[in-house]
Amino acid sequence: MPDQTALLRELRGTVGRRHVLTGPAATLRYRRGYRHGEGGAIAVVRPGTLVELWRVAQAAVRTGVAIIVQAANTGLTGGSTPDGDYPGGVLIVSTLRLARIHLLDGGRQALCLPGTTLSQLERALKPLGREPHSVIGSSCLGASVLGGVCNNSGGALVRRGPAYTELALFARLAADGTLQLVNHLGIALGETPEEMLARLERGRFDAGDVAHDPQRRASDQRYSEHVRDIDAETPARFNADPRCLFEASGSAGRVIVFAARLDTFPRDAETTTFYVGTNDPAEFAALRRRLLGGKAALPIAAEYMHRDAFDVAAAYGKDSFLAVRHLGTDRLPALFALKARIDRLARRCGGRRGEGFADRLMQWAARLAPRHLPARMLAWRDRYEHHLLLKMPGGGGDARACLDALFAASEGGYFECTPAEADAAFLHRFACAGAAIRYRLVHADAIEDLVALDFALPRNEQDWTETLPAALEKDIPVRLRYGHFFCHVFHHDYLVRRGADAEAVKAGLCSMLDARRARYPAEHNVGHLYPAAAELAAFYRDLDPCNRLNPGIGKTSKAPFWGRDVHAR
């Protein structure tokens, strides 16, 4: 068995005693997922430099414990938190103290350390008139840049596809159990691991050290053409797509990523947002095919929301909406930390009755706040079942002409948003995911569990809506349907009634998706909720032949060396 006492002593000597957490209360926020998952851990370690991170990894490897590297812990499938037991135990390494950005080539690329959040990168790029891969949605939650890369997260922006790079600095465990540092950043940093990491962190390199290899991409540069292929029988993007599995990209913690080099993008100086409504799903399908299949400019974003998601988000995502609007995304991590402390205190005082106290408190406070959604959005909610937020570059002339032609002889309609309405509409849309979690907590007496599915339909699919069979519908009193419509990526949250078998409900829903040729998960990655597809599991085995880095992800084996006989290697 690993000598955990000696390991903890070494870790404290490396990062300092206050950055090695072992108590159940102190480690809970790291051991519990944002939406799913919770498990035990030997400790949570918070290195303050890349060299410390390297030394922590070396100590864990020598001791023979598993490692889970975690950034913001905002994932929805539990992929960066423990799940069950691990042979020899598991160490959680939090990278939140490692938040640094080096801008390259006038900001056309960004070199990000593992704790850097999307909102931090967005703020650094804004004065340059540029922006990162994703600027709404996960950035509102304080998600990390490298977390998106490691999970091939898609984001909401139609033109950009999954977060992707072929330029990264990472550590991997070789088949013989040695920890190796691999520099594929395209930046000359020196020879030894600690020299390379120290130079990288301090930015001790110049333009002459930075290579620009046309064979290595720092974004999914082909996606804008890929998504326009509306007659293809495959989805535009999904987590197990071999097209976007490369070293750090899609690795899901199977390597330890120290830094990644990513393209940034020009910020659109002028945009126009249309709020579109219909009661006929075929009209949205026609709109998608016209704008993607023709020569019109690609939308910046095309976000779908069903009326049921609109209503639940309005009631149970109101505090999130107000927090982002009045506090900004930069303060959200501190708000989440405060929420975790309140919950710890409530559980200490009230036991299980204190579970979710902070959420119930925020829900009560939100009810006292005045109406937060614009009047025209509320009118469209009453008039239409299906809602689409269509954000276009420039004045939106292509989309306006298409909308006018589409709705000339139908009851669907649209209005052009003011800047304030556009901000409110997108913020409301991204309150949906948290709203489902809040609903479950507030209605724990009536809700057994939350089944959350994110899936991608084939690009040629036109019948995109869902009809549940009676056997499933009776067990799902509330469901939220929303998604990235032009990419055909959807998020459905199913709140399962108390007493029903949530696993059976999930199996039935997945069977429906299989029949529709959907691929899932589409962008939240497998975590501990989905079995990894064969090509994804093979990718994991190739990255981590020792099976010590985030073992068990995608319901794979947790056994060292994937259960093989070590002496037979």
Side-chain angles (χ1 to χ4, degrees):
M1 288 293 293
D3 186 349
Q4 296 183 4
T5 301
L7 173 63
L8 291 174
R9 185 165 53 247
E10 183 174 358
L11 294 174
R12 289 174 181 132
T14 300
V15 305
R17 179 172 293 273
R18 67 187 293 259
H19 294 299
V20 179
L21 312 178
T22 56
T27 60
L28 182 61
R29 63 176 288 209
Y30 304 91
R31 295 186 294 103
R32 173 179 287 179
Y34 176 72
R35 175 184 275 179
H36 170 84
E38 180 179 343
I42 297 169
V44 174
V45 188
R46 304 184 300 190
T49 68
L50 294 181
V51 170
E52 287 183 1
L53 174 57
W54 171 253
R55 292 174 180 172
V56 166
Q58 284 183 311
V61 169
R62 282 195 303 269
T63 309
V65 302
I67 305 171
I68 296 176
V69 178
Q70 179 190 99
N73 193 18
T74 58
L76 301 184
T77 57
S80 60
T81 50
D83 182 73
D85 297 324
Y86 293 76
V90 64
L91 185 72
I92 299 175
V93 181
S94 171
T95 63
L96 290 179
R97 297 176 65 209
L98 304 174
R100 184 168 293 185
I101 303 164
H102 300 298
L103 298 180
L104 308 176
D105 195 18
R108 291 177 178 84
Q109 289 187 332
L111 181 60
C112 298
L113 271 57
T116 305
T117 66
L118 281 165
S119 58
Q120 289 169 336
L121 181 55
E122 185 177 2
R123 187 171 66 250
L125 293 171
K126 191 171 184 179
L128 304 177
R130 302 186 73 82
E131 59 189 17
H133 166 268
S134 183
V135 296
I136 47 181
S138 53
S139 60
C140 294
L141 298 174
S144 69
V145 175
L146 298 199
V149 171
C150 292
N151 289 296
N152 274 347
S153 299
L157 304 184
V158 176
R159 298 177 288 189
R160 296 181 192 168
Y164 181 78
T165 187
E166 296 170 1
L167 301 168
L169 178 69
F170 59 92
R172 70 186 302 266
L173 267 173
D176 63 1
T178 58
L179 190 66
Q180 301 174 342
L181 189 66
V182 180
N183 182 8
H184 286 168
L185 279 175
I187 301 176
L189 295 169
E191 299 300 326
T192 68
E194 294 200 3
E195 176 193 5
M196 294 164 64
L197 294 171
R199 285 187 60 185
L200 170 64
E201 185 155 15
R202 296 168 188 164
R204 289 172 50 198
F205 54 87
D206 55 35
D209 296 317
V210 181
H212 295 275
D213 183 351
Q215 301 303 314
R216 291 243 172 189
R217 295 178 290 147
S219 63
D220 186 5
Q221 298 166 357
R222 305 184 185 103
Y223 187 75
S224 58
E225 298 176 7
H226 186 70
V227 75
R228 281 192 184 274
D229 188 0
I230 56 175
D231 293 317
E233 296 182 351
T234 56
R237 55 180 171 90
F238 56 97
N239 287 131
D241 188 350
R243 194 178 64 88
C244 289
L245 298 177
F246 185 87
E247 296 181 343
S249 296
S251 60
R254 291 296 189 169
V255 295
I256 301 173
V257 185
F258 289 81
R261 183 174 157 188
L262 298 150
D263 288 336
T264 68
F265 304 87
R267 180 184 293 273
D268 290 282
E270 180 187 3
T271 64
T272 303
T273 298
F274 302 97
Y275 198 105
V276 192
T278 186
N279 291 317
D280 181 1
E283 292 185 336
F284 278 1
L287 176 62
R288 172 181 170 272
R289 289 184 67 83
R290 289 186 190 184
L291 285 179
L292 290 183
K295 295 184 178 180
L298 272 179
I300 298 168
E303 291 297 294
Y304 168 73
M305 184 164 46
H306 187 273
R307 181 188 281 153
D308 53 12
F310 185 108
D311 291 345
V312 174
Y316 297 90
K318 185 177 180 180
D319 60 304
S320 297
F321 180 106
L322 295 174
V324 174
R325 167 165 282 184
H326 297 297
L327 299 178
T329 58
D330 292 342
R331 297 184 182 177
L332 283 188
L335 187 63
F336 286 141
L338 175 61
K339 176 178 174 292
R341 287 196 293 271
I342 292 172
D343 278 336
R344 281 202 304 270
L345 179 62
R347 280 192 296 271
R348 191 177 303 159
C349 297
R352 292 186 63 85
R353 289 180 300 175
E355 193 75 27
F357 175 79
D359 281 282
R360 291 193 294 271
L361 180 64
M362 290 188 291
Q363 184 64 26
W364 172 82
R367 291 195 185 104
L368 302 179
R371 189 189 76 192
H372 63 296
L373 296 178
R376 287 204 289 183
M377 280 179 61
L378 294 171
W380 244 239
R381 178 264 167 224
D382 293 339
R383 190 177 303 176
Y384 299 115
E385 180 181 2
H386 303 283
H387 299 236
L388 183 69
L389 315 179
L390 187 60
K391 185 175 184 179
M392 299 294 297
D398 290 340
R400 187 181 292 103
C402 189
L403 289 166
D404 287 339
L406 182 65
F407 295 134
S410 76
E411 62 179 40
Y414 74 92
F415 63 85
E416 189 171 327
C417 294
T418 66
E421 286 174 326
D423 288 345
F426 279 102
L427 190 48
H428 182 53
R429 156 65 184 87
F430 290 104
C432 287
I437 301 170
R438 175 65 55 76
Y439 189 102
R440 177 191 177 188
L441 285 168
V442 172
H443 299 280
D445 57 335
I447 299 300
E448 182 73 29
D449 205 351
L450 169 64
V451 173
L453 298 176
D454 63 292
F455 58 92
L457 293 177
R459 281 166 283 173
N460 65 350
E461 180 62 73
Q462 298 190 55
D463 184 12
W464 57 272
T465 55
E466 172 188 80
T467 301
L468 294 178
L472 286 175
E473 191 168 23
K474 67 180 178 60
D475 289 332
I476 303 172
V478 179
R479 56 176 166 157
L480 286 72
R481 289 164 282 179
Y482 50 99
H484 315 305
F485 188 71
F486 276 35
C487 296
H488 255 195
V489 170
F490 296 90
H491 301 271
H492 287 190
D493 295 335
Y494 306 87
L495 291 147
V496 180
R497 67 172 177 82
R498 176 65 68 184
D501 185 341
E503 285 301 315
V505 168
K506 181 180 177 180
L509 294 167
C510 289
S511 179
M512 290 176 57
L513 292 176
D514 292 338
R516 300 180 70 187
R517 301 175 298 134
R519 295 299 300 263
Y520 55 92
E523 64 178 8
H524 289 157
N525 218 338
V526 288
H528 293 292
L529 290 181
Y530 300 93
E535 58 267 46
L536 187 58
F539 178 63
Y540 291 160
R541 285 193 295 271
D542 183 60
L543 288 178
D544 182 18
C546 296
N547 201 27
R548 284 296 189 184
L549 302 178
N550 209 5
I553 202 80
K555 299 187 181 294
T556 57
S557 171
K558 292 179 183 173
F561 300 98
W562 300 87
R564 300 193 306 268
D565 183 353
V566 176
H567 300 290
R569 290 183 292 119

